Amino acid sequence: MNGLIITIDGPCGSGKSTLCKRLAARLGYIALDTGAMYRAVALAAYRANCDCEDCEQVTKLCGEQRIDFRREAEGERVLLNGEDVSEAIRTPEISLLTSRISSCSGVRRILVRRQQEIGAAGGVVLEGRDTGTVVFPKADVKFFLTADVAERGKRRWLELRARGIAADLESTIAEMQERDRADMNRTDSPLSKADDAVVIDATTLTIEEVLSRMEEIVRVRAAEKGIR
Ligand code: DC
């Protein structure tokens, strides 16, 4: 075995992405942002003028897309059929559309299979909504990361502004609440905490503090399994 399978689930804006990347870097593991895969499908659907309420249509389209990740010095890039879409998948419009297409079971089946293939050998940190409940229900370490919605909204708003995307705080928080509602209430694989997940509330913690907690838990588990 190459290493542990670690999952981080939680609502949008809880810091999963940053923590997944940083934890994976510290451990020398692969970081897998499963949300980026759903986002890439949403972008493809948007460009193809697909009816996003028509699950059959979106599933067919999803099956025709190639989604890859490319590691570069300045961070990981997301490729859709060879095109770098790392920025294009992160607009507020695509975020909302992603929430919609991710409720489609056909899309989830295709992407979950792909995520399982990537992570099967271990030495991976996955982040998303269902990575510890559906993708790897037997993962070695599961985290459920959460934070107050106002705090998550503020962080996302600052992030958007830093990227030069105009947004106001109120509507960023409202959009986040809407995505939380959609993610938690969909029938297939809703956002939920796995029974055996370690819950970390990051409302008042820094990224560094959360990272240290995670690392400690991972080191103990790795030692138990005889993995360096
Ligand atoms: O983590 P994120 O904000 O990039 O996720 C974008 C959307 O994708 C989010 O609304 C929920 C969905 N998603 C999902 O349904 N399952 C996952 N494993 C990851 C993301």
Side-chain angles (χ1 to χ4, degrees):
M1 192 166 182
N2 295 331
L4 302 176
I5 296 178
I6 302 167
T7 61
I8 308 177
D9 290 310
C12 47
S14 54
K16 298 186 304 293
S17 272
T18 309
L19 284 156
C20 174
K21 280 186 214 126
R22 303 255 318 255
L23 183 63
R26 282 206 184 169
L27 299 167
Y29 282 14
I30 294 171
L32 181 59
D33 173 359
T34 62
M37 299 171 82
Y38 290 91
R39 286 174 178 274
V41 174
L43 180 67
Y46 175 78
R47 287 177 171 174
N49 253 324
C50 215
D51 173 5
C52 286
E53 304 301 332
D54 182 345
C55 184
E56 219 172 291
Q57 209 183 110
V58 186
T59 302
K60 183 172 177 295
L61 179 110
C62 175
E64 293 161 353
Q65 310 306 310
R66 248 200 75 191
I67 302 164
D68 298 296
F69 294 92
R70 189 175 64 209
R71 233 180 282 179
E72 283 184 4
E74 69 275 15
E76 194 170 58
R77 312 302 296 175
V78 185
L79 308 182
L80 175 64
N81 304 313
E83 177 195 345
D84 187 339
V85 294
S86 314
E87 274 82 37
I89 60 171
R90 309 241 169 240
T91 64
E93 197 175 10
I94 295 301
S95 296
L96 274 178
L97 208 56
T98 309
S99 239
R100 268 201 265 155
I101 66 101
S102 62
S103 68
C104 172
S105 298
V107 169
R108 304 203 70 85
R109 234 184 351 261
I110 294 171
L111 296 186
V112 165
R113 203 180 313 129
R114 184 83 212 286
Q115 292 153 17
Q116 289 169 335
E117 283 164 10
I118 298 172
V124 66
V125 187
L126 299 101
E127 60 104 346
R129 304 294 187 285
D130 61 346
T131 61
T133 50
V134 176
V135 186
F136 285 108
K138 293 193 175 151
D140 300 294
V141 185
K142 300 178 187 178
F143 293 107
F144 191 85
L145 194 62
T146 176
D148 194 77
V149 72
E151 179 61 26
R152 289 188 282 124
K154 194 172 116 207
R155 287 182 198 166
R156 180 56 53 92
W157 175 70
L158 289 170
E159 195 185 301
L160 287 170
R161 282 209 331 176
R163 295 203 336 253
I165 298 175
D168 74 79
L169 182 58
E170 299 278 285
S171 42
T172 306
I173 294 175
E175 273 166 26
M176 204 157 254
Q177 279 167 325
E178 171 52 25
R179 286 176 61 203
D180 281 355
R181 196 198 52 74
D183 291 346
M184 289 191 279
N185 291 304
R186 66 169 175 247
T187 328
D188 191 347
S189 319
L191 167 65
S192 65
K193 185 191 89 58
D195 290 341
D196 50 351
V198 177
V199 180
I200 301 181
D201 184 337
T203 309
T204 58
L205 298 175
T206 63
I207 291 285
E208 208 48 52
E209 286 168 332
V210 179
L211 193 58
S212 307
R213 281 194 198 184
M214 287 182 160
E215 214 183 352
E216 208 177 300
I217 292 165
V218 169
R219 299 270 178 221
V220 170
R221 187 80 184 108
E224 280 169 7
K225 296 204 78 175
I227 292 170
R228 202 181 53 84

